Amino acid sequence: MSLALDAAAQDLLFREAQTANTFTDEPVTDEQVQAIYDLVKFAPTAFNQSPLRLTLVRSEDARKRLVAHAMGANGPKTLSAPLTAILSVDLDFHEKLPQLFPHAPGVKDAFFSEAAVREAAGTQNATLQAGYFILGIRAAGLAAGPMTGFDFAGVDKEFFGDGKQKSFLVINLGKPGPDAFFPRSPRLEYAEAVSTI
């Protein structure tokens, strides 16, 4: 069975896409990031809650402040990338639900009045959006280097001192540099990952 998406797009988004560890110094522009965002914002989240927030780290000072919270090789990789994004959950995403889910105005208070519920739902849906964002980076012809090896409590204190956002992922993005990719690791086959009940 064939997919509706053509083979070249399948390769770009999935089969030939890998996590990049080095990047060229070619800049990633605000226009490129906006084009990525304007594509992936249409992908679904529960109640259209859209809790993901992106903080673009461009200045040398901000990059050094971020790298202070990096583990191992993530620091040097981040310092050499043309652009880095901190991905975080807006813990007050429910305040935008009247705008984002206008046909059900009671959802904001009926489902998301408790902070713990908001954090759980927001984290789940922001993580989903992070996957969309990585696909958007690839669709733009760029490579993504997502990393979880950061002290995210430290990142939050450094960049989101008001406690309204909670970071969970850092992504370097740009054109891949020399030796950017490790050899492709194996994947599970269909029969190993899929069951029918």
Side-chain angles (χ1 to χ4, degrees), residues 1 10 32 36 48 51 53 55-56 61 64 75 78 89-90 95 112 117-118 122-124 133 141 165-166 190:
M1 178 179 169
Q10 294 172 39
Q32 286 174 297
I36 293 165
N48 198 33
R53 301 295 177 264
T55 302
L56 303 180
D61 174 65
K64 287 179 180 176
T78 301
V89 182
D90 179 355
E95 297 295 347
F112 301 111
V117 172
R118 283 197 308 275
T123 299
Q124 183 180 48
F133 183 60
Q165 288 178 236
K166 188 172 182 180
Y190 181 88

Side-chain angles (χ1 to χ4, degrees), residues 37 45-53 90-105 107-109 112 118 129 164-165:
Y37 177 79
T45 56
F47 296 107
N48 198 33
Q49 61 188 246
S50 307
L52 179 68
R53 301 295 177 264
D90 179 355
L91 297 175
D92 284 339
F93 70 84
H94 66 306
E95 297 295 347
K96 294 195 179 294
L97 285 176
Q99 169 192 343
L100 296 173
F101 209 65
H103 56 283
V107 163
K108 172 182 176 280
D109 297 318
F112 301 111
R118 283 197 308 275
Q129 287 186 282
K164 303 283 186 180
Q165 288 178 236

